[in-house]
Amino acid sequence: GAVVSQHPSRVICKSGTSVKIECRSLDFQATTMFWYRQFPKQSLMLMATSNEGSKATYEQGVEKDKFLINHASLTLSTLTVTSAHPEDSSFYICSAPQAYRNTEAFFGQGTRLTVV
Amino acid sequence: GENVEQHPSTLSVQEGDSAVIKCTYSDSASNYFPWYKQELGKRPQLIIDIRSNVGEKKDQRIAVTLNKTAKHFSLHITETQPEDSAVYFCAGERFNKFYFGSGTKLNVKP
């Protein structure tokens, strides 16, 4: 199947700093990517849809100014957690369906963010 | 968006027994229903999926059934093994967005 690579896999940062997470589709193009957040022992919650060449769309309750999303190319989306706080500590995971195909979503390996 | 409910939240079975996890969804326009297995700290892995034009799909010990009229679908695992222990998520899909159920922690006791 297609491969989605996410980087970094783990990051620890200080409160108030920003953290960038990358999501790359390695062997296919993805006009759309999705960002999810998963708190311990909870489900994956869709945060936002990253659209290549246009603005991201955010789910209700997700602060767009805090979670900046950039979809610079057909293979790369980035999520920047700005002014991170301990409550932002979570598992962030991206997914990407293959462009123009109605197939399964391929997930990145996830990023464990810890804000201290 | 889609609202997906999943139960039970935890399920313990003896090795060799069957396990059933059930989900309901709200959006009648949804037509793709995957099931994911997630081990601790790892990404979800697709184990089986079903589209709305079929009522059942089977892959070895795993099967999924779908009732579009009632808007529910179920995961069936037969002859469970300890390595089946994980958290399982169902999902409904709309425009490639996935709305996940709350998850079921399956524990298969040897």
Side-chain angles (χ1 to χ4, degrees):
Chain A
V3 178
V4 175
S5 178
Q6 194 172 333
H7 177 81
S9 58
R10 289 180 180 272
V11 59
I12 300 172
C13 70
K14 292 184 178 180
S15 283
T17 61
S18 294
V19 174
K20 181 184 284 187
I21 303 169
E22 293 186 348
C23 180
R24 293 181 185 272
S25 55
L26 297 186
D27 52 359
F28 67 99
Q29 293 181 333
T31 55
T32 305
M33 293 185 179
F34 301 94
W35 288 95
Y36 296 84
R37 180 168 54 185
Q38 186 177 32
F39 291 110
K41 297 185 180 181
Q42 294 190 24
S43 187
L44 292 88
M45 298 299 295
L46 179 64
M47 298 175 66
T49 304
S50 174
N51 303 299
E52 190 269 334
S54 64
K55 291 183 178 180
T57 54
Y58 291 81
E59 296 297 303
Q60 192 172 8
V62 178
E63 300 175 63
K64 62 179 181 180
D65 294 330
K66 181 165 188 63
F67 299 100
L68 301 179
I69 290 172
N70 183 29
H71 198 137
S73 73
L74 286 170
T75 59
L76 174 64
S77 174
T78 60
L79 168 69
T80 301
V81 183
T82 63
S83 187
H85 289 96
E87 57 264 32
D88 297 324
S89 299
S90 188
F91 188 61
Y92 293 86
I93 191 164
C94 65
S95 78
Q98 287 185 266
Y100 315 119
R101 293 183 62 185
N102 185 19
T103 64
E104 67 174 280
F106 301 100
F107 285 90
Q109 61 266 56
T111 297
R112 173 74 59 193
L113 171 63
T114 303
V115 184
V116 297
Chain B
E2 173 77 279
N3 182 36
V4 179
E5 295 189 355
Q6 180 174 349
H7 61 94
S9 57
T10 59
L11 179 60
S12 286
V13 299
Q14 206 67 40
E15 182 178 0
D17 288 349
S18 295
V20 180
I21 303 171
K22 298 182 179 181
C23 287
T24 60
Y25 61 98
S26 61
D27 191 342
S28 57
S30 293
N31 56 22
Y32 176 64
F33 305 94
W35 283 91
Y36 287 87
K37 176 183 181 181
Q38 187 180 30
E39 297 178 350
L40 191 63
K42 297 187 177 180
R43 79 183 87 189
Q45 297 282 354
L46 179 71
I47 55 170
I48 196 167
D49 56 13
I50 191 167
R51 297 190 183 276
S52 59
N53 57 343
V54 298
E56 184 175 359
K57 182 178 178 181
K58 190 173 182 180
D59 182 4
Q60 298 182 348
R61 296 187 297 110
I62 297 173
V64 55
T65 58
L66 170 66
N67 183 327
K68 269 210 71 109
T69 303
K71 291 191 281 188
H72 66 71
F73 56 112
S74 300
L75 176 70
H76 304 253
I77 306 175
T78 58
E79 300 172 30
T80 53
Q81 301 167 3
E83 51 265 38
D84 294 329
S85 296
V87 179
Y88 292 80
F89 293 99
C90 62
E93 178 264 347
R94 287 285 285 150
F95 306 114
N96 284 316
K97 295 183 182 182
F98 286 74
Y99 297 91
F100 288 85
S102 51
T104 297
K105 185 174 183 180
L106 174 64
N107 179 34
V108 180
K109 295 176 284 186

